[in-house]
Amino acid sequence: MTTSAPIRSPCPPGACICGRDPLLETPGADVRILFLTRQEEKRLLDRLENLQSLADLERLQVRMFDQLGIRLELVPSFNEVRTMRGIGIQIEELPGLCRKTRAAIPAAIRRSLEKRPEIAYELLNANDLLRDA
């Protein structure tokens, strides 16, 4: 008897356009994102809110891609970064990723950057925005 991993329950009809059902029906499709259940999503968001360093964030980016297929990119604005809103957090389009999750991940990262601004400074420095400061 084989036990499969639990997959995310479907969103209410009309509430989301994640494409969960077509993804399940497509043979050979990458369904890793569906292993992000609501409970696992809460754990991920909690982990993203409590980052300790830029290296911690980078490790989570790699793990999110390896385990779920979520490609996350953090890009500072070309103009000025006065607040955490100046740091662009983009998630690549991914079938099966709920729109609420797509919005919750950047929000959790921003909350973490606001709690620990040194991570934002490291991110800006890694992109040479603070080289003259």
Side-chain angles (χ1 to χ4, degrees):
M1 183 172 169
T2 59
T3 307
S4 63
I7 62 171
R8 188 176 187 98
S9 57
C11 298
C16 190
I17 54 168
C18 63
R20 178 189 181 276
D21 295 332
L23 182 65
L24 284 173
E25 294 168 359
T26 306
D30 184 9
V31 294
R32 293 180 294 175
I33 190 63
L34 297 180
F35 297 129
L36 184 65
T37 62
R38 296 196 198 291
Q39 181 181 3
E40 291 297 320
E41 179 185 338
K42 288 178 185 177
R43 287 183 54 214
L44 174 64
L45 295 176
D46 184 54
R47 183 73 177 96
L48 287 171
E49 280 187 45
N50 295 306
L51 294 170
Q52 300 301 313
S53 66
L54 181 59
D56 194 20
L57 174 59
E58 291 168 347
R59 273 192 306 277
L60 272 174
Q61 281 180 279
V62 170
R63 290 190 69 197
M64 285 170 55
F65 179 71
D66 290 343
Q67 294 178 357
L68 301 170
I70 298 174
R71 194 176 305 268
L72 179 70
E73 186 177 351
L74 283 91
V75 182
S77 171
F78 288 112
N79 298 324
E80 287 186 21
V81 178
R82 294 184 184 192
T83 66
M84 296 310 156
R85 298 274 177 209
I87 297 175
I89 303 171
Q90 294 134 0
I91 298 175
E92 189 176 287
E93 196 65 33
L94 182 66
L97 182 61
C98 181
R99 69 175 174 83
K100 288 183 179 181
T101 306
R102 185 181 305 279
I105 290 173
I109 293 173
R110 282 197 178 93
R111 284 190 296 271
S112 181
L113 294 177
E114 287 171 357
K115 277 196 272 187
R116 299 182 70 92
E118 61 272 10
I119 299 172
Y121 300 144
E122 287 179 56
L123 177 67
L124 295 174
N125 198 27
N127 287 291
D128 285 339
L129 290 179
L130 293 178
R131 68 178 169 267
D132 297 329

